[in-house]
Amino acid sequence: MKKENSKIKIALAGNPNSGKTTLFNRLTGSKQYVGNWPGVTVEKKSGFYKKDKDIEITDLPGIYSLSPYTLEEVVSRNFLINEKPDAIIDIVDGSNIERNLYLATQLSELGIPLIIGLNMMDVVRKNGDKIDTKTIEKRLGCKVIEISALRGDGIDSLMQASKTEAINSKEVKEIKAFSTHLEDILVNIENSVSSLKDSKAKRWYAIKLFERDPKIKSSLKINSQELARVEKIVDAAEEEFGDDGEGIITDARYEFVSDLTSTTVIKGRKGLTKSDRIDRLVTNRFLGLPIFAGIIFLIYYFVAVIVNGPVNDWWADHVLGEIVPDFVVGLMEKFGASLWLTSLVGEGIIGGVGAVLGFLPVIAGLFLCIAILEDCGYMARVAFILDRVFRRFGLSGKSFIPILIGCGCSVSGITGTRTIENDNDRRMTIFSAAFMPCSAKVDYIAMFAVMFTGVWWYGPIWYFLGIFAVIISGLILKKTSYFHGDPAPFVMELPEYHLPSLSNVLESTWQRCKSFITKAGTIILVSTIVIWFLKNISTSGSFVDFEEGAQTSILAYLGMKLAFIFKPLGFGNWIASVAAVLGLVAKEELVSVIEICAGGVSPNEIMSVFGTNISIFAFMIFNQLTIPCFAALGAAKEELGSKKWFRAMVLYLIGFSYSFTLIFYQIATFIKTRSFTLGTFVGFVLLIGYLYLILRPYKAKEGSVNMGLSSVEAYKNI
């Protein structure tokens, strides 16, 4: 029994989409992001209960079971077994109670006080459903508290019950959920292993031994005689039941849950729900993709026309372009600051960072729209819709989840691949996650949008270019011996549609914008200072007048040395070359370099750098498809777990982006000028090569090499 005033640790567990993270945010005031797909909470997060700082709450990843098959399951069960929290709150979706209670039966076996938070009761009551919570409490031997995490109903009662259970529970009642015969077998296993005698979780350990869980076998102090006795018991049971141990337990759990819900849950509605009726339209085999495309076009229309018009003009041109620099420069001149320092602050820092932050309203508008779609439940359907498309090209729809997350930040998208069990799909997704336009890419997409004002398709074209590149990449990679194989099955829970929560939407938008602003205030700030000095110092080491001595600056010298690399792609200008190279550090650099070196990001200044619209599009294609920022590369290296795979990814992305851009620029230029050059020939040869790689049949090669650890092997190091 814990003392009243001692610290209490509570674990928050539950299925994906059960409302667990929403509850965590309400309880702790945490800035945790809320999403609608499995894997959004990759690692556990902790915070203190707002109304009682002695209660620490840990938000575990959303899981369906405590099996060691995904990283989320490994993280969750390791925490529960090793950290031994004082209580577990299991968030159960009341509208999908049968599926959610499967996890509850496992949590109840850990010897830790369990409290069930029966969530979404507002939806349950709206549907006219009735749940006999008293009977469920009796059958499961734990408290069941009705709540609505979204509305905040029942939260105080849930926490009071959890605190009481954590303080008062001396011994947790074991729930005999299985048949008498199976229960006797499990007791026999418990008695066969001496190290389980005093364990509060001996039932759970016995079940895992019955399932032949390799991690549990290795973690228990079990000698060869005991192990042989357990194996004999399991062999006899498997022969008797006609199934393996894991299958026997799974069937027994579902039978228990089905029997429990059949007597405690009465569905009020018959036929299709409102969500079902909406899904018949938006997930339709023929209408799903056009509807998705239409929604994306509407989002970019809103961002490009409404936000990028008066709002962005006022913010970028008036506030950051006039008020801030005039005030700061005027203040520096008043106090007698030197000309070079005034130029550094005005043109370098304010100009470079201001150019990046100038498109903040556009980025915030995009994040706001995406947050609304996520919170209402539509984005979960997008993964389901694109599964049909991706599966045709060798990828699972599960791959789209991290790719979708990567639209906010490529780092999050790459780390989100931990939810993919299949090694081939996981690596392919890491290779392809950089293709989608992240928030940093949206910044330079918005910059170039000024060149195409009124062209309604400009914004969405880069979003769909990313999806197109993922598909092309999937077709090519799946036909190699390293990635070949059937895509993993994609099982996903679709949450009920609901009106977006204003607090969730605003919080999600703010967190993404905050990350963007923080990056601008750190990495971009430092780099703009460096760029300014390189721009204003000649190769001889003296300060130069940039307008007159541009060709003698260190930056220009470096750019001209690099320009030959990008000339076949259509942007051999030294400014564009410097921007492309520095963009590998952070994509926002593309904007700050052009702002500092060209003197602004207006249509005339942009065109002075690139010369033609074809060159602008080539520059955009290369920078969208090439390797992501250094932070994302670091995440990819960690997730791949192998230097060979990491080098392969870097070379693949550089080769893919370079060749793809060369094909576009050379063929587009040929169509426009009707002039056939060596570059045109190379472009057509590469195009034919891509068509061959896409259309060729796969031929298995003997002795294919495994270049790194498998995900299962990597889990062993956790």
PDB file of all heavy atoms in Angstrom, residues 573-594:
ATOM      1  N   ASN A 573      23.169  28.794 -62.720  1.00  0.00           N
ATOM      2  CA  ASN A 573      23.494  30.078 -62.107  1.00  0.00           C
ATOM      3  C   ASN A 573      24.120  29.850 -60.737  1.00  0.00           C
ATOM      4  O   ASN A 573      23.702  28.974 -59.988  1.00  0.00           O
ATOM      5  CB  ASN A 573      22.208  30.899 -61.980  1.00  0.00           C
ATOM      6  CG  ASN A 573      22.434  32.242 -61.328  1.00  0.00           C
ATOM      7  OD1 ASN A 573      22.635  32.331 -60.120  1.00  0.00           O
ATOM      8  ND2 ASN A 573      22.392  33.287 -62.125  1.00  0.00           N
ATOM      9  N   TRP A 574      25.130  30.658 -60.358  1.00  0.00           N
ATOM     10  CA  TRP A 574      25.852  30.397 -59.107  1.00  0.00           C
ATOM     11  C   TRP A 574      24.965  30.589 -57.888  1.00  0.00           C
ATOM     12  O   TRP A 574      25.126  29.885 -56.885  1.00  0.00           O
ATOM     13  CB  TRP A 574      27.109  31.254 -59.009  1.00  0.00           C
ATOM     14  CG  TRP A 574      26.892  32.728 -58.758  1.00  0.00           C
ATOM     15  CD1 TRP A 574      26.815  33.709 -59.688  1.00  0.00           C
ATOM     16  CD2 TRP A 574      26.749  33.357 -57.492  1.00  0.00           C
ATOM     17  NE1 TRP A 574      26.623  34.923 -59.100  1.00  0.00           N
ATOM     18  CE2 TRP A 574      26.585  34.740 -57.736  1.00  0.00           C
ATOM     19  CE3 TRP A 574      26.745  32.899 -56.182  1.00  0.00           C
ATOM     20  CZ2 TRP A 574      26.410  35.666 -56.722  1.00  0.00           C
ATOM     21  CZ3 TRP A 574      26.567  33.825 -55.158  1.00  0.00           C
ATOM     22  CH2 TRP A 574      26.405  35.186 -55.426  1.00  0.00           C
ATOM     23  N   ILE A 575      24.010  31.520 -57.950  1.00  0.00           N
ATOM     24  CA  ILE A 575      23.118  31.727 -56.801  1.00  0.00           C
ATOM     25  C   ILE A 575      22.245  30.496 -56.590  1.00  0.00           C
ATOM     26  O   ILE A 575      22.078  30.002 -55.468  1.00  0.00           O
ATOM     27  CB  ILE A 575      22.238  32.983 -57.011  1.00  0.00           C
ATOM     28  CG1 ILE A 575      23.105  34.238 -57.080  1.00  0.00           C
ATOM     29  CG2 ILE A 575      21.208  33.111 -55.883  1.00  0.00           C
ATOM     30  CD1 ILE A 575      22.326  35.517 -57.336  1.00  0.00           C
ATOM     31  N   ALA A 576      21.680  29.970 -57.674  1.00  0.00           N
ATOM     32  CA  ALA A 576      20.834  28.774 -57.584  1.00  0.00           C
ATOM     33  C   ALA A 576      21.650  27.572 -57.113  1.00  0.00           C
ATOM     34  O   ALA A 576      21.157  26.730 -56.347  1.00  0.00           O
ATOM     35  CB  ALA A 576      20.192  28.477 -58.931  1.00  0.00           C
ATOM     36  N   SER A 577      22.906  27.497 -57.551  1.00  0.00           N
ATOM     37  CA  SER A 577      23.764  26.384 -57.146  1.00  0.00           C
ATOM     38  C   SER A 577      24.048  26.424 -55.650  1.00  0.00           C
ATOM     39  O   SER A 577      23.985  25.400 -54.961  1.00  0.00           O
ATOM     40  CB  SER A 577      25.079  26.422 -57.929  1.00  0.00           C
ATOM     41  OG  SER A 577      24.840  26.336 -59.322  1.00  0.00           O
ATOM     42  N   VAL A 578      24.373  27.622 -55.135  1.00  0.00           N
ATOM     43  CA  VAL A 578      24.612  27.768 -53.696  1.00  0.00           C
ATOM     44  C   VAL A 578      23.348  27.420 -52.916  1.00  0.00           C
ATOM     45  O   VAL A 578      23.395  26.723 -51.895  1.00  0.00           O
ATOM     46  CB  VAL A 578      25.067  29.206 -53.364  1.00  0.00           C
ATOM     47  CG1 VAL A 578      25.064  29.432 -51.855  1.00  0.00           C
ATOM     48  CG2 VAL A 578      26.455  29.462 -53.924  1.00  0.00           C
ATOM     49  N   ALA A 579      22.200  27.892 -53.403  1.00  0.00           N
ATOM     50  CA  ALA A 579      20.929  27.611 -52.725  1.00  0.00           C
ATOM     51  C   ALA A 579      20.654  26.114 -52.679  1.00  0.00           C
ATOM     52  O   ALA A 579      20.234  25.580 -51.639  1.00  0.00           O
ATOM     53  CB  ALA A 579      19.787  28.341 -53.439  1.00  0.00           C
ATOM     54  N   ALA A 580      20.885  25.425 -53.799  1.00  0.00           N
ATOM     55  CA  ALA A 580      20.618  23.981 -53.855  1.00  0.00           C
ATOM     56  C   ALA A 580      21.510  23.210 -52.887  1.00  0.00           C
ATOM     57  O   ALA A 580      21.056  22.276 -52.220  1.00  0.00           O
ATOM     58  CB  ALA A 580      20.811  23.471 -55.282  1.00  0.00           C
ATOM     59  N   VAL A 581      22.778  23.610 -52.784  1.00  0.00           N
ATOM     60  CA  VAL A 581      23.701  22.909 -51.889  1.00  0.00           C
ATOM     61  C   VAL A 581      23.344  23.184 -50.431  1.00  0.00           C
ATOM     62  O   VAL A 581      23.269  22.263 -49.604  1.00  0.00           O
ATOM     63  CB  VAL A 581      25.154  23.329 -52.176  1.00  0.00           C
ATOM     64  CG1 VAL A 581      26.095  22.755 -51.120  1.00  0.00           C
ATOM     65  CG2 VAL A 581      25.581  22.863 -53.561  1.00  0.00           C
ATOM     66  N   LEU A 582      23.119  24.459 -50.093  1.00  0.00           N
ATOM     67  CA  LEU A 582      22.772  24.797 -48.713  1.00  0.00           C
ATOM     68  C   LEU A 582      21.388  24.274 -48.339  1.00  0.00           C
ATOM     69  O   LEU A 582      21.096  24.074 -47.161  1.00  0.00           O
ATOM     70  CB  LEU A 582      22.841  26.307 -48.500  1.00  0.00           C
ATOM     71  CG  LEU A 582      24.248  26.914 -48.549  1.00  0.00           C
ATOM     72  CD1 LEU A 582      24.198  28.420 -48.366  1.00  0.00           C
ATOM     73  CD2 LEU A 582      25.142  26.299 -47.477  1.00  0.00           C
ATOM     74  N   GLY A 583      20.544  24.049 -49.332  1.00  0.00           N
ATOM     75  CA  GLY A 583      19.226  23.476 -49.073  1.00  0.00           C
ATOM     76  C   GLY A 583      19.295  22.070 -48.518  1.00  0.00           C
ATOM     77  O   GLY A 583      18.327  21.580 -47.932  1.00  0.00           O
ATOM     78  N   LEU A 584      20.437  21.414 -48.680  1.00  0.00           N
ATOM     79  CA  LEU A 584      20.613  20.085 -48.103  1.00  0.00           C
ATOM     80  C   LEU A 584      20.713  20.158 -46.588  1.00  0.00           C
ATOM     81  O   LEU A 584      20.410  19.193 -45.893  1.00  0.00           O
ATOM     82  CB  LEU A 584      21.856  19.411 -48.681  1.00  0.00           C
ATOM     83  CG  LEU A 584      21.887  19.257 -50.212  1.00  0.00           C
ATOM     84  CD1 LEU A 584      23.178  18.589 -50.644  1.00  0.00           C
ATOM     85  CD2 LEU A 584      20.682  18.477 -50.708  1.00  0.00           C
ATOM     86  N   VAL A 585      21.174  21.302 -46.074  1.00  0.00           N
ATOM     87  CA  VAL A 585      21.234  21.497 -44.631  1.00  0.00           C
ATOM     88  C   VAL A 585      19.835  21.720 -44.076  1.00  0.00           C
ATOM     89  O   VAL A 585      19.414  21.088 -43.106  1.00  0.00           O
ATOM     90  CB  VAL A 585      22.149  22.693 -44.279  1.00  0.00           C
ATOM     91  CG1 VAL A 585      22.186  22.914 -42.767  1.00  0.00           C
ATOM     92  CG2 VAL A 585      23.546  22.475 -44.834  1.00  0.00           C
ATOM     93  N   ALA A 586      19.118  22.631 -44.694  1.00  0.00           N
ATOM     94  CA  ALA A 586      17.727  22.927 -44.323  1.00  0.00           C
ATOM     95  C   ALA A 586      17.057  23.536 -45.542  1.00  0.00           C
ATOM     96  O   ALA A 586      17.610  24.465 -46.149  1.00  0.00           O
ATOM     97  CB  ALA A 586      17.665  23.884 -43.134  1.00  0.00           C
ATOM     98  N   LYS A 587      15.898  23.038 -45.908  1.00  0.00           N
ATOM     99  CA  LYS A 587      15.252  23.473 -47.140  1.00  0.00           C
ATOM    100  C   LYS A 587      14.871  24.956 -47.108  1.00  0.00           C
ATOM    101  O   LYS A 587      14.717  25.580 -48.159  1.00  0.00           O
ATOM    102  CB  LYS A 587      14.014  22.617 -47.411  1.00  0.00           C
ATOM    103  CG  LYS A 587      14.313  21.143 -47.670  1.00  0.00           C
ATOM    104  CD  LYS A 587      15.280  20.960 -48.820  1.00  0.00           C
ATOM    105  CE  LYS A 587      15.622  19.487 -49.041  1.00  0.00           C
ATOM    106  NZ  LYS A 587      16.671  19.299 -50.057  1.00  0.00           N
ATOM    107  N   GLU A 588      14.709  25.522 -45.928  1.00  0.00           N
ATOM    108  CA  GLU A 588      14.405  26.949 -45.837  1.00  0.00           C
ATOM    109  C   GLU A 588      15.541  27.802 -46.391  1.00  0.00           C
ATOM    110  O   GLU A 588      15.340  28.978 -46.725  1.00  0.00           O
ATOM    111  CB  GLU A 588      14.136  27.350 -44.383  1.00  0.00           C
ATOM    112  CG  GLU A 588      12.902  26.724 -43.768  1.00  0.00           C
ATOM    113  CD  GLU A 588      13.201  25.433 -43.039  1.00  0.00           C
ATOM    114  OE1 GLU A 588      14.269  24.843 -43.293  1.00  0.00           O
ATOM    115  OE2 GLU A 588      12.371  25.020 -42.221  1.00  0.00           O
ATOM    116  N   GLU A 589      16.752  27.217 -46.477  1.00  0.00           N
ATOM    117  CA  GLU A 589      17.901  27.954 -46.994  1.00  0.00           C
ATOM    118  C   GLU A 589      17.674  28.422 -48.428  1.00  0.00           C
ATOM    119  O   GLU A 589      18.252  29.415 -48.863  1.00  0.00           O
ATOM    120  CB  GLU A 589      19.152  27.067 -46.946  1.00  0.00           C
ATOM    121  CG  GLU A 589      19.627  26.703 -45.570  1.00  0.00           C
ATOM    122  CD  GLU A 589      20.249  27.876 -44.838  1.00  0.00           C
ATOM    123  OE1 GLU A 589      20.274  28.995 -45.387  1.00  0.00           O
ATOM    124  OE2 GLU A 589      20.706  27.679 -43.708  1.00  0.00           O
ATOM    125  N   LEU A 590      16.851  27.696 -49.171  1.00  0.00           N
ATOM    126  CA  LEU A 590      16.582  28.072 -50.559  1.00  0.00           C
ATOM    127  C   LEU A 590      16.018  29.481 -50.626  1.00  0.00           C
ATOM    128  O   LEU A 590      16.334  30.266 -51.526  1.00  0.00           O
ATOM    129  CB  LEU A 590      15.609  27.081 -51.197  1.00  0.00           C
ATOM    130  CG  LEU A 590      16.061  25.614 -51.228  1.00  0.00           C
ATOM    131  CD1 LEU A 590      14.936  24.724 -51.713  1.00  0.00           C
ATOM    132  CD2 LEU A 590      17.283  25.458 -52.099  1.00  0.00           C
ATOM    133  N   VAL A 591      15.157  29.795 -49.663  1.00  0.00           N
ATOM    134  CA  VAL A 591      14.533  31.119 -49.633  1.00  0.00           C
ATOM    135  C   VAL A 591      15.518  32.172 -49.153  1.00  0.00           C
ATOM    136  O   VAL A 591      15.662  33.237 -49.764  1.00  0.00           O
ATOM    137  CB  VAL A 591      13.283  31.106 -48.719  1.00  0.00           C
ATOM    138  CG1 VAL A 591      12.657  32.491 -48.657  1.00  0.00           C
ATOM    139  CG2 VAL A 591      12.276  30.086 -49.212  1.00  0.00           C
ATOM    140  N   SER A 592      16.224  31.878 -48.049  1.00  0.00           N
ATOM    141  CA  SER A 592      17.117  32.885 -47.476  1.00  0.00           C
ATOM    142  C   SER A 592      18.289  33.194 -48.403  1.00  0.00           C
ATOM    143  O   SER A 592      18.721  34.344 -48.503  1.00  0.00           O
ATOM    144  CB  SER A 592      17.612  32.440 -46.098  1.00  0.00           C
ATOM    145  OG  SER A 592      18.295  31.217 -46.181  1.00  0.00           O
ATOM    146  N   VAL A 593      18.829  32.193 -49.113  1.00  0.00           N
ATOM    147  CA  VAL A 593      19.940  32.431 -50.036  1.00  0.00           C
ATOM    148  C   VAL A 593      19.508  33.344 -51.173  1.00  0.00           C
ATOM    149  O   VAL A 593      20.208  34.308 -51.526  1.00  0.00           O
ATOM    150  CB  VAL A 593      20.483  31.096 -50.596  1.00  0.00           C
ATOM    151  CG1 VAL A 593      21.444  31.351 -51.758  1.00  0.00           C
ATOM    152  CG2 VAL A 593      21.194  30.315 -49.511  1.00  0.00           C
ATOM    153  N   ILE A 594      18.342  33.070 -51.759  1.00  0.00           N
ATOM    154  CA  ILE A 594      17.867  33.899 -52.868  1.00  0.00           C
ATOM    155  C   ILE A 594      17.545  35.311 -52.386  1.00  0.00           C
ATOM    156  O   ILE A 594      17.833  36.303 -53.065  1.00  0.00           O
ATOM    157  CB  ILE A 594      16.644  33.243 -53.530  1.00  0.00           C
ATOM    158  CG1 ILE A 594      17.078  31.954 -54.239  1.00  0.00           C
ATOM    159  CG2 ILE A 594      15.971  34.189 -54.521  1.00  0.00           C
ATOM    160  CD1 ILE A 594      15.954  31.123 -54.789  1.00  0.00           C
TER     161      ILE A 594
END
